[in-house]
């Protein structure tokens, strides 16, 4: 495939690769961050990741392809638990887009840590497949990631961002912590 018409070399694809890698690295280093630094960076990085994912080229996943995903359950759980530990009481928020909400009078609780770990899982799998350097695998990774973004993790990213926005800009105590550091 010619490089100029190849969606792998499209500016939007390459920018998504960069931001997805940055996001994965950020998630893998959560244990080294203060609460303020985590929330501050997350509220800046998540909108960029969402934007870049929404600009990925339209590709159809190959139903017969069986990619080798590398983000394990242990990796997912490590990221989730580190975020949950860091966020503490800020990890839980009320979910308004949960399918059970339409049938319930009671609020449905959700967790920022689970949402961000879900995004990490897909972004991490994308990055590892893309790094292999085989065009067929790379194209499939873009197609799968884009489809999963639309169907699943895009909404989870936005839900987490909404909760983190409330912490960052509506809770004076966390803002004061950041000012002291």
């Amino acid at each position: 495939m010619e490089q100029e018409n190849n969606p792998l070399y499209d500016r939007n694809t390459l920018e998504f690769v960069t931001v997805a890698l940055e996001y994965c690295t950020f998630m893998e280093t959560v244990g080294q961050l203060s609460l303020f630094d985590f929330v501050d960076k997350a509220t800046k990085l998540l909108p960029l990741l969402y934007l870049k994912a929404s600009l990925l080229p339209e590709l159809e996943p190959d139903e017969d392809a069986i990619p080798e995903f590398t983000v394990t359950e242990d990796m997912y759980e490590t990221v989730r638990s580190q975020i949950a530990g860091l966020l503490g009481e800020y990890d839980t928020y009320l979910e308004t887009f949960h399918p059970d909400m339409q049938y319930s009078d009671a609020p449905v609780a959700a967790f920022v840590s689970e949402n961000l770990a879900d995004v990490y899982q897909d972004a991490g799998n994308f990055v590892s497949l893309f790094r292999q350097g085989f065009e067929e695998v790379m194209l499939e990774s873009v197609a799968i990631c884009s489809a999963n973004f639309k169907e699943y993790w895009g909404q989870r990213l936005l839900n987490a961002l909404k909760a983190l926005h409330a912490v960052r800009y509506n809770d004076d105590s966390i803002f004061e912590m950041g000012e002291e550091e």
Side-chain angles (χ1 to χ4, degrees):
M1 191 178 284
E2 290 182 31
Q3 194 165 347
E4 65 188 47
N5 294 328
N6 190 332
L8 294 175
Y9 303 105
D10 180 82
R11 180 177 150 213
N12 291 323
T13 302
L14 297 177
E15 288 176 356
F16 177 74
V17 172
T18 302
V19 175
L21 180 59
E22 174 69 20
Y23 177 77
C24 291
T25 303
F26 174 56
M27 291 293 107
E28 291 166 356
T29 59
V30 165
Q32 302 167 18
L33 301 171
S34 69
L35 176 61
F36 177 82
D37 289 339
F38 172 77
V39 173
D40 187 54
K41 183 167 183 173
T43 55
K44 294 171 182 163
L45 186 56
L46 290 172
L48 185 58
L49 183 63
Y50 185 91
L51 173 65
K52 296 305 176 183
S54 71
L55 296 173
L56 284 171
E58 294 290 327
L59 299 172
E60 287 296 320
D62 180 357
E63 300 295 328
D64 297 328
I66 304 173
E68 291 185 37
F69 295 128
T70 57
V71 176
T72 65
E73 199 171 312
D74 286 342
M75 293 166 71
Y76 174 96
E77 184 54 30
T78 298
V79 166
R80 191 210 57 76
S81 64
Q82 285 184 341
I83 296 168
L86 185 61
L87 289 175
E89 68 185 85
Y90 300 112
D91 189 33
T92 307
Y93 67 95
L94 296 180
E95 170 65 270
T96 56
F97 284 101
H98 194 279
D100 293 341
M101 275 300 294
Q102 61 185 329
Y103 305 113
S104 175
D105 293 334
V108 175
F111 302 92
V112 171
S113 58
E114 285 182 13
N115 288 342
L116 295 181
D118 288 344
V119 175
Y120 166 77
Q121 183 174 32
D122 215 66
N125 285 328
F126 165 79
V127 168
S128 69
L129 289 170
F130 203 88
R131 279 184 173 169
Q132 291 180 16
F134 302 111
E135 281 196 8
E136 187 174 304
V137 173
M138 294 165 73
L139 285 166
E140 187 63 18
S141 71
V142 172
I144 292 170
C145 192
S146 179
N148 288 347
F149 165 75
K150 293 171 187 168
E151 295 173 22
Y152 185 67
W153 66 264
Q155 185 66 56
R156 290 190 165 280
L157 181 154
L158 292 173
N159 293 347
L161 180 58
K162 183 177 179 182
L164 291 171
H165 176 86
V167 172
R168 173 66 178 91
Y169 295 105
N170 298 336
D171 189 323
D172 293 336
S173 63
I174 189 171
F175 185 72
E176 289 167 7
M177 285 190 292
E179 300 251 320
E180 293 172 4
E181 295 180 316

